[in-house]
Amino acid sequence: MIREIYSAEDALEVLFDWPRRQGPLYEKALETCLIATVGGETAERAQNAFRLFSRASGILAKDMMYPKDRRRNHTRHL
């Protein structure tokens, strides 16, 4: 299944449904996305935390594996 994440709220849905709710990357992504939803954290920090979690969990799409400047004119949201 392919799912595009556009906001901290979208990321939280994935995190809340994640079967293994543990580990430092999961916890950091969860905390950062929760704080971002109330304006206490930037969307960029939430995006980075969720991207790290996703990459480590093996659910990040191949075209999102590298920083934006290393991809070919692809722009995606959180």
Side-chain angles (χ1 to χ4, degrees):
M1 178 171 103
I2 296 173
R3 182 169 180 183
E4 293 189 13
I5 307 300
Y6 292 102
S7 66
E9 289 85 358
D10 289 348
L12 283 173
E13 286 183 27
V14 172
L15 292 166
F16 288 143
D17 290 341
W18 194 247
R20 296 177 307 275
R21 297 179 184 173
Q22 58 188 0
L25 293 176
Y26 174 87
E27 291 170 10
K28 182 66 174 177
L30 181 66
E31 175 186 0
T32 307
C33 289
L34 280 169
I35 295 170
T37 63
V38 295
E41 193 65 80
T42 66
E44 184 177 356
R45 285 189 182 193
Q47 178 184 30
N48 289 336
F50 186 74
R51 184 180 292 128
L52 287 172
F53 163 76
S54 299
R55 184 181 300 144
S57 300
I59 61 171
L60 187 65
K62 298 273 188 220
D63 65 340
M64 295 299 294
M65 287 287 188
Y66 303 102
K68 194 182 332 182
D69 61 330
R70 293 186 61 192
R71 290 182 274 145
R72 287 188 222 142
N73 298 324
H74 292 284
T75 56
R76 296 247 177 142
H77 302 282
L78 179 70

